Amino acid sequence: GAVVSQHPSWVICKSGTSVKIECRSLDFQATTMFWYRQFPKQSLMLMATSNEGSKATYEQGVEKDKFLINHASLTLSTLTVTSAHPEDSSFYICSAGDISNSPLHFGNGTRLTVT
Amino acid sequence: GEDVEQSLFLSVREGDSSVINCTYTDSSSTYLYWYKQEPGAGLQLLTYIFSNMDMKQDQRLTVLLNKKDKHLSLRIADTQTGDSAIYFCAESKGGYNKLIFGAGTRLAVHP
């Protein structure tokens, strides 16, 4: 079945540094990838939608200059948290879909801790 | 109100059936989904149902969809301790793959 790989699975960084998270579709071409954020014991909040070769569409309230998304190929999207602060600590999860609009599959998530 | 609503907690005895309910708002949703999340892990797609279906069964899982009431349920037969997790219901906003999740139902299975 469809597999989405997310890397790293966890990262600890110092305040003010930037962190890049990768999301790869391993056995299909992901024309669209989605980035979610999940706070402890809460649901997933959609941050942005990225389409291969074009700019990402951000949800209301999500700072595009803070969360940089690049979807340069049909198998890779990256999320960069720039100048991270402790309040950015969260669980970030990506999902990917192909042009058939078949059900999405999710990565295993990245737990970011900013100290 | 919220787009997708779920009860937050369900406790069942091992071997019994579990029923997790969900209501959604977008009548144009093409698919409705159930995902499972274990502690510290990502989301595992459990099952999904196309919007023109009423029911779908997959081994121990049965999904019922009442499109008129915008109500979705997930029944787990013969619930096991390994089924303990958080279960998320999701609708596809605008008919495609932009998923909106409920708050999740924490299922606790006790002996």
PDB file of all heavy atoms in Angstrom, chain B residues 14-15 36-39 44 46 60 76 78-87 107-110:
ATOM      1  N   GLU B  14     -12.877  -5.883  27.062  1.00  0.00           N
ATOM      2  CA  GLU B  14     -12.255  -6.718  26.032  1.00  0.00           C
ATOM      3  C   GLU B  14     -13.260  -7.774  25.551  1.00  0.00           C
ATOM      4  O   GLU B  14     -13.928  -8.431  26.357  1.00  0.00           O
ATOM      5  CB  GLU B  14     -11.025  -7.403  26.620  1.00  0.00           C
ATOM      6  CG  GLU B  14     -10.140  -8.082  25.585  1.00  0.00           C
ATOM      7  CD  GLU B  14      -8.855  -8.624  26.202  1.00  0.00           C
ATOM      8  OE1 GLU B  14      -8.739  -8.631  27.437  1.00  0.00           O
ATOM      9  OE2 GLU B  14      -7.978  -9.038  25.446  1.00  0.00           O
ATOM     10  N   GLY B  15     -13.371  -7.894  24.223  1.00  0.00           N
ATOM     11  CA  GLY B  15     -14.305  -8.849  23.648  1.00  0.00           C
ATOM     12  C   GLY B  15     -15.641  -8.247  23.244  1.00  0.00           C
ATOM     13  O   GLY B  15     -16.354  -8.812  22.403  1.00  0.00           O
ATOM     14  N   LYS B  36      -6.525   5.863  13.106  1.00  0.00           N
ATOM     15  CA  LYS B  36      -6.141   5.423  14.452  1.00  0.00           C
ATOM     16  C   LYS B  36      -4.776   6.020  14.784  1.00  0.00           C
ATOM     17  O   LYS B  36      -3.869   6.014  13.936  1.00  0.00           O
ATOM     18  CB  LYS B  36      -6.063   3.889  14.478  1.00  0.00           C
ATOM     19  CG  LYS B  36      -5.602   3.282  15.796  1.00  0.00           C
ATOM     20  CD  LYS B  36      -5.514   1.764  15.662  1.00  0.00           C
ATOM     21  CE  LYS B  36      -5.057   1.108  16.968  1.00  0.00           C
ATOM     22  NZ  LYS B  36      -4.921  -0.374  16.836  1.00  0.00           N
ATOM     23  N   GLN B  37      -4.638   6.520  15.992  1.00  0.00           N
ATOM     24  CA  GLN B  37      -3.350   7.051  16.420  1.00  0.00           C
ATOM     25  C   GLN B  37      -2.970   6.448  17.766  1.00  0.00           C
ATOM     26  O   GLN B  37      -3.694   6.607  18.745  1.00  0.00           O
ATOM     27  CB  GLN B  37      -3.372   8.583  16.519  1.00  0.00           C
ATOM     28  CG  GLN B  37      -2.009   9.176  16.844  1.00  0.00           C
ATOM     29  CD  GLN B  37      -2.029  10.692  16.929  1.00  0.00           C
ATOM     30  OE1 GLN B  37      -2.984  11.282  17.409  1.00  0.00           O
ATOM     31  NE2 GLN B  37      -0.969  11.336  16.454  1.00  0.00           N
ATOM     32  N   GLU B  38      -1.841   5.786  17.773  1.00  0.00           N
ATOM     33  CA  GLU B  38      -1.308   5.256  19.027  1.00  0.00           C
ATOM     34  C   GLU B  38      -0.362   6.293  19.613  1.00  0.00           C
ATOM     35  O   GLU B  38       0.105   7.191  18.899  1.00  0.00           O
ATOM     36  CB  GLU B  38      -0.637   3.916  18.767  1.00  0.00           C
ATOM     37  CG  GLU B  38      -1.643   2.889  18.233  1.00  0.00           C
ATOM     38  CD  GLU B  38      -1.078   1.498  18.103  1.00  0.00           C
ATOM     39  OE1 GLU B  38      -0.089   1.187  18.784  1.00  0.00           O
ATOM     40  OE2 GLU B  38      -1.639   0.715  17.322  1.00  0.00           O
ATOM     41  N   PRO B  39      -0.064   6.195  20.915  1.00  0.00           N
ATOM     42  CA  PRO B  39       0.754   7.232  21.579  1.00  0.00           C
ATOM     43  C   PRO B  39       2.067   7.493  20.857  1.00  0.00           C
ATOM     44  O   PRO B  39       2.831   6.571  20.574  1.00  0.00           O
ATOM     45  CB  PRO B  39       0.970   6.649  22.976  1.00  0.00           C
ATOM     46  CG  PRO B  39      -0.210   5.768  23.211  1.00  0.00           C
ATOM     47  CD  PRO B  39      -0.527   5.164  21.876  1.00  0.00           C
ATOM     48  N   GLN B  44      -2.750   6.179  11.347  1.00  0.00           N
ATOM     49  CA  GLN B  44      -2.905   4.984  10.528  1.00  0.00           C
ATOM     50  C   GLN B  44      -4.304   4.997   9.928  1.00  0.00           C
ATOM     51  O   GLN B  44      -5.293   5.043  10.659  1.00  0.00           O
ATOM     52  CB  GLN B  44      -2.709   3.741  11.397  1.00  0.00           C
ATOM     53  CG  GLN B  44      -2.991   2.426  10.691  1.00  0.00           C
ATOM     54  CD  GLN B  44      -3.099   1.266  11.671  1.00  0.00           C
ATOM     55  OE1 GLN B  44      -2.824   1.413  12.856  1.00  0.00           O
ATOM     56  NE2 GLN B  44      -3.508   0.124  11.181  1.00  0.00           N
ATOM     57  N   LEU B  46      -7.465   3.588   8.946  1.00  0.00           N
ATOM     58  CA  LEU B  46      -8.164   2.350   9.290  1.00  0.00           C
ATOM     59  C   LEU B  46      -9.096   1.930   8.175  1.00  0.00           C
ATOM     60  O   LEU B  46      -9.076   0.806   7.708  1.00  0.00           O
ATOM     61  CB  LEU B  46      -8.996   2.553  10.553  1.00  0.00           C
ATOM     62  CG  LEU B  46      -8.323   2.363  11.894  1.00  0.00           C
ATOM     63  CD1 LEU B  46      -9.360   2.563  12.978  1.00  0.00           C
ATOM     64  CD2 LEU B  46      -7.663   1.013  11.999  1.00  0.00           C
ATOM     65  N   ARG B  60     -13.006  -6.746  11.225  1.00  0.00           N
ATOM     66  CA  ARG B  60     -13.701  -6.395  12.469  1.00  0.00           C
ATOM     67  C   ARG B  60     -14.329  -5.003  12.438  1.00  0.00           C
ATOM     68  O   ARG B  60     -15.009  -4.609  13.381  1.00  0.00           O
ATOM     69  CB  ARG B  60     -12.737  -6.491  13.646  1.00  0.00           C
ATOM     70  CG  ARG B  60     -12.286  -7.915  13.982  1.00  0.00           C
ATOM     71  CD  ARG B  60     -11.560  -7.967  15.314  1.00  0.00           C
ATOM     72  NE  ARG B  60     -10.331  -7.195  15.333  1.00  0.00           N
ATOM     73  CZ  ARG B  60     -10.070  -6.227  16.217  1.00  0.00           C
ATOM     74  NH1 ARG B  60     -10.947  -5.911  17.149  1.00  0.00           N
ATOM     75  NH2 ARG B  60      -8.914  -5.573  16.180  1.00  0.00           N
ATOM     76  N   ILE B  76     -16.158  -1.535  16.092  1.00  0.00           N
ATOM     77  CA  ILE B  76     -15.069  -2.495  16.167  1.00  0.00           C
ATOM     78  C   ILE B  76     -15.605  -3.717  16.892  1.00  0.00           C
ATOM     79  O   ILE B  76     -15.967  -3.641  18.077  1.00  0.00           O
ATOM     80  CB  ILE B  76     -13.853  -1.927  16.923  1.00  0.00           C
ATOM     81  CG1 ILE B  76     -13.408  -0.603  16.303  1.00  0.00           C
ATOM     82  CG2 ILE B  76     -12.707  -2.932  16.936  1.00  0.00           C
ATOM     83  CD1 ILE B  76     -12.328   0.119  17.105  1.00  0.00           C
ATOM     84  N   ASP B  78     -15.414  -7.437  18.676  1.00  0.00           N
ATOM     85  CA  ASP B  78     -14.435  -8.199  19.460  1.00  0.00           C
ATOM     86  C   ASP B  78     -13.221  -7.326  19.804  1.00  0.00           C
ATOM     87  O   ASP B  78     -12.075  -7.637  19.458  1.00  0.00           O
ATOM     88  CB  ASP B  78     -14.002  -9.450  18.681  1.00  0.00           C
ATOM     89  CG  ASP B  78     -13.132 -10.392  19.485  1.00  0.00           C
ATOM     90  OD1 ASP B  78     -13.229 -10.375  20.730  1.00  0.00           O
ATOM     91  OD2 ASP B  78     -12.342 -11.133  18.861  1.00  0.00           O
ATOM     92  N   THR B  79     -13.480  -6.233  20.479  1.00  0.00           N
ATOM     93  CA  THR B  79     -12.429  -5.258  20.773  1.00  0.00           C
ATOM     94  C   THR B  79     -11.325  -5.882  21.614  1.00  0.00           C
ATOM     95  O   THR B  79     -11.582  -6.584  22.593  1.00  0.00           O
ATOM     96  CB  THR B  79     -13.027  -4.047  21.513  1.00  0.00           C
ATOM     97  OG1 THR B  79     -14.195  -3.609  20.823  1.00  0.00           O
ATOM     98  CG2 THR B  79     -12.026  -2.906  21.564  1.00  0.00           C
ATOM     99  N   GLN B  80     -10.096  -5.606  21.220  1.00  0.00           N
ATOM    100  CA  GLN B  80      -8.924  -6.148  21.905  1.00  0.00           C
ATOM    101  C   GLN B  80      -8.133  -5.020  22.573  1.00  0.00           C
ATOM    102  O   GLN B  80      -8.289  -3.853  22.231  1.00  0.00           O
ATOM    103  CB  GLN B  80      -8.034  -6.878  20.898  1.00  0.00           C
ATOM    104  CG  GLN B  80      -8.737  -8.016  20.166  1.00  0.00           C
ATOM    105  CD  GLN B  80      -9.181  -9.108  21.118  1.00  0.00           C
ATOM    106  OE1 GLN B  80      -8.384  -9.613  21.919  1.00  0.00           O
ATOM    107  NE2 GLN B  80     -10.459  -9.478  21.065  1.00  0.00           N
ATOM    108  N   THR B  81      -7.233  -5.385  23.483  1.00  0.00           N
ATOM    109  CA  THR B  81      -6.429  -4.363  24.158  1.00  0.00           C
ATOM    110  C   THR B  81      -5.576  -3.594  23.157  1.00  0.00           C
ATOM    111  O   THR B  81      -5.294  -2.406  23.356  1.00  0.00           O
ATOM    112  CB  THR B  81      -5.526  -4.990  25.237  1.00  0.00           C
ATOM    113  OG1 THR B  81      -4.754  -6.034  24.641  1.00  0.00           O
ATOM    114  CG2 THR B  81      -6.368  -5.574  26.365  1.00  0.00           C
ATOM    115  N   GLY B  82      -5.191  -4.235  22.090  1.00  0.00           N
ATOM    116  CA  GLY B  82      -4.406  -3.561  21.052  1.00  0.00           C
ATOM    117  C   GLY B  82      -5.190  -2.519  20.282  1.00  0.00           C
ATOM    118  O   GLY B  82      -4.615  -1.735  19.524  1.00  0.00           O
ATOM    119  N   ASP B  83      -6.491  -2.490  20.494  1.00  0.00           N
ATOM    120  CA  ASP B  83      -7.317  -1.466  19.845  1.00  0.00           C
ATOM    121  C   ASP B  83      -7.330  -0.170  20.646  1.00  0.00           C
ATOM    122  O   ASP B  83      -7.847   0.851  20.162  1.00  0.00           O
ATOM    123  CB  ASP B  83      -8.761  -1.968  19.682  1.00  0.00           C
ATOM    124  CG  ASP B  83      -8.867  -3.159  18.746  1.00  0.00           C
ATOM    125  OD1 ASP B  83      -8.122  -3.195  17.738  1.00  0.00           O
ATOM    126  OD2 ASP B  83      -9.689  -4.065  19.018  1.00  0.00           O
ATOM    127  N   SER B  84      -6.763  -0.187  21.833  1.00  0.00           N
ATOM    128  CA  SER B  84      -6.708   1.034  22.645  1.00  0.00           C
ATOM    129  C   SER B  84      -5.875   2.079  21.912  1.00  0.00           C
ATOM    130  O   SER B  84      -4.710   1.846  21.591  1.00  0.00           O
ATOM    131  CB  SER B  84      -6.082   0.747  24.014  1.00  0.00           C
ATOM    132  OG  SER B  84      -6.889  -0.136  24.766  1.00  0.00           O
ATOM    133  N   ALA B  85      -6.480   3.219  21.650  1.00  0.00           N
ATOM    134  CA  ALA B  85      -5.821   4.277  20.873  1.00  0.00           C
ATOM    135  C   ALA B  85      -6.798   5.448  20.780  1.00  0.00           C
ATOM    136  O   ALA B  85      -7.880   5.416  21.363  1.00  0.00           O
ATOM    137  CB  ALA B  85      -5.459   3.787  19.470  1.00  0.00           C
ATOM    138  N   ILE B  86      -6.387   6.453  20.041  1.00  0.00           N
ATOM    139  CA  ILE B  86      -7.302   7.553  19.724  1.00  0.00           C
ATOM    140  C   ILE B  86      -7.771   7.364  18.296  1.00  0.00           C
ATOM    141  O   ILE B  86      -6.962   7.104  17.400  1.00  0.00           O
ATOM    142  CB  ILE B  86      -6.603   8.915  19.896  1.00  0.00           C
ATOM    143  CG1 ILE B  86      -6.134   9.089  21.331  1.00  0.00           C
ATOM    144  CG2 ILE B  86      -7.570  10.043  19.526  1.00  0.00           C
ATOM    145  CD1 ILE B  86      -5.334  10.351  21.563  1.00  0.00           C
ATOM    146  N   TYR B  87      -9.060   7.512  18.093  1.00  0.00           N
ATOM    147  CA  TYR B  87      -9.653   7.325  16.775  1.00  0.00           C
ATOM    148  C   TYR B  87     -10.175   8.662  16.276  1.00  0.00           C
ATOM    149  O   TYR B  87     -10.976   9.316  16.941  1.00  0.00           O
ATOM    150  CB  TYR B  87     -10.780   6.292  16.836  1.00  0.00           C
ATOM    151  CG  TYR B  87     -10.253   4.901  17.101  1.00  0.00           C
ATOM    152  CD1 TYR B  87      -9.917   4.498  18.389  1.00  0.00           C
ATOM    153  CD2 TYR B  87     -10.036   4.003  16.064  1.00  0.00           C
ATOM    154  CE1 TYR B  87      -9.387   3.233  18.631  1.00  0.00           C
ATOM    155  CE2 TYR B  87      -9.531   2.739  16.289  1.00  0.00           C
ATOM    156  CZ  TYR B  87      -9.207   2.362  17.588  1.00  0.00           C
ATOM    157  OH  TYR B  87      -8.676   1.120  17.824  1.00  0.00           O
ATOM    158  N   LEU B 107     -10.183   5.517  22.979  1.00  0.00           N
ATOM    159  CA  LEU B 107     -10.789   4.227  23.296  1.00  0.00           C
ATOM    160  C   LEU B 107      -9.910   3.498  24.299  1.00  0.00           C
ATOM    161  O   LEU B 107      -8.724   3.277  24.050  1.00  0.00           O
ATOM    162  CB  LEU B 107     -10.943   3.378  22.033  1.00  0.00           C
ATOM    163  CG  LEU B 107     -11.441   1.935  22.232  1.00  0.00           C
ATOM    164  CD1 LEU B 107     -12.860   1.933  22.786  1.00  0.00           C
ATOM    165  CD2 LEU B 107     -11.382   1.154  20.919  1.00  0.00           C
ATOM    166  N   ALA B 108     -10.502   3.153  25.425  1.00  0.00           N
ATOM    167  CA  ALA B 108      -9.784   2.379  26.450  1.00  0.00           C
ATOM    168  C   ALA B 108     -10.430   1.014  26.553  1.00  0.00           C
ATOM    169  O   ALA B 108     -11.645   0.911  26.726  1.00  0.00           O
ATOM    170  CB  ALA B 108      -9.847   3.105  27.791  1.00  0.00           C
ATOM    171  N   VAL B 109      -9.631  -0.023  26.422  1.00  0.00           N
ATOM    172  CA  VAL B 109     -10.138  -1.392  26.491  1.00  0.00           C
ATOM    173  C   VAL B 109      -9.620  -2.027  27.777  1.00  0.00           C
ATOM    174  O   VAL B 109      -8.413  -2.073  28.007  1.00  0.00           O
ATOM    175  CB  VAL B 109      -9.664  -2.212  25.276  1.00  0.00           C
ATOM    176  CG1 VAL B 109     -10.252  -3.623  25.328  1.00  0.00           C
ATOM    177  CG2 VAL B 109     -10.045  -1.513  23.983  1.00  0.00           C
ATOM    178  N   HIS B 110     -10.544  -2.494  28.593  1.00  0.00           N
ATOM    179  CA  HIS B 110     -10.141  -3.077  29.865  1.00  0.00           C
ATOM    180  C   HIS B 110     -10.564  -4.539  29.933  1.00  0.00           C
ATOM    181  O   HIS B 110     -11.507  -4.955  29.277  1.00  0.00           O
ATOM    182  CB  HIS B 110     -10.725  -2.260  31.027  1.00  0.00           C
ATOM    183  CG  HIS B 110     -12.224  -2.136  30.992  1.00  0.00           C
ATOM    184  ND1 HIS B 110     -13.058  -3.072  31.558  1.00  0.00           N
ATOM    185  CD2 HIS B 110     -13.023  -1.191  30.451  1.00  0.00           C
ATOM    186  CE1 HIS B 110     -14.307  -2.704  31.370  1.00  0.00           C
ATOM    187  NE2 HIS B 110     -14.320  -1.564  30.708  1.00  0.00           N
TER     188      HIS B 110
END
